[in-house]
Amino acid sequence: MIQRHTGGMRPTTPDQSPIVIRTALSAGDVDAIVALHDRVYGAEYGLGRRFAASVSWSIEAAVASGWPDTGGAVWLIDRGSELGGSLALTDEGDGLGRVRWFVLDPELRGQGLGRRLVDRLLSEARAAQLAKLELDTFSALTAAAQIYRQAGFTLRWQRETDQWGPRIQMQGYGLTLG
């Protein structure tokens, strides 16, 4: 549902709480991003604790290397008092950016938020003069794949894995920025 406010369109949750998109990490955000991934992907795809641990490790490694302060960006969707979504861009060096930690609470889907976040990420990547972007996902995330393909990403590889519990088809997408 989209609610009109002065200054444009502002999305809301089903209970009419406004959605706020933040672009800076605050205390507790890393844990909230991990918990959201665990809650959403655990319930929808049966991904276990190894998946949440992998997300945690990758975010902690990025933060330890200076992200997002020294390169890259983050978009966090607050809905009321809880995190409802996230998307991040990390600068991997040599002109390569990585799209990471993209998740939306099911109640926030279908409003165009994911597409808007990816558009913001692409603008940020171009402003940072990144030459190409890569991302890893899995085949069951068809709505996200559609957003990526519409943004110009192409499927570069796929392989089966059971590293996070059930057998899934991992996929790698790439985009050369012009």
Side-chain angles (χ1 to χ4, degrees):
M1 172 182 303
I2 302 290
Q3 185 176 12
R4 288 192 188 274
H5 289 273
T6 308
M9 304 288 274
R10 184 174 204 172
T12 61
T13 61
D15 68 358
Q16 299 301 309
S17 301
I19 295 169
V20 176
I21 300 175
R22 292 186 286 122
T23 57
L25 284 177
S26 298
D29 282 339
V30 170
D31 291 338
I33 294 168
V34 173
L36 181 61
H37 276 76
D38 187 35
R39 181 170 49 85
V40 170
Y41 293 128
E44 293 181 358
Y45 304 102
L47 300 183
R49 299 300 301 161
R50 288 180 289 171
F51 174 71
S54 170
V55 171
S56 179
W57 175 85
S58 65
I59 297 172
E60 289 170 7
V63 170
S65 72
W67 171 85
D69 299 327
T70 60
V74 64
W75 295 269
L76 301 168
I77 300 173
D78 290 328
R79 53 180 215 135
S81 63
E82 69 178 18
L83 187 67
S86 71
L87 177 65
L89 171 66
T90 57
D91 185 336
E92 304 295 312
D94 296 325
L96 174 63
R98 185 159 278 290
V99 179
R100 297 176 174 255
W101 313 304
F102 188 23
V103 62
L104 285 175
D105 185 280
E107 291 181 1
L108 298 180
R109 296 176 190 161
Q111 301 182 51
L113 285 170
R115 189 171 322 279
R116 286 198 305 257
L117 290 177
V118 170
D119 287 346
R120 288 182 183 188
L121 182 141
L122 292 173
S123 293
E124 181 71 26
R126 288 185 175 100
Q129 299 181 339
L130 295 174
K132 59 185 178 173
L133 297 175
E134 293 179 349
L135 65 89
D136 296 340
T137 187
F138 58 99
S139 62
L141 300 177
T142 57
Q146 182 178 2
I147 291 170
Y148 300 141
R149 287 191 305 273
Q150 288 175 345
F153 284 85
T154 57
L155 181 64
R156 304 274 169 93
W157 59 265
Q158 49 187 347
R159 69 174 179 270
E160 281 194 20
T161 184
D162 62 358
Q163 68 185 12
W164 298 317
R167 183 160 292 284
I168 58 173
Q169 187 77 23
M170 289 295 299
Q171 298 177 322
Y173 282 81
L175 172 66
T176 301
L177 298 170

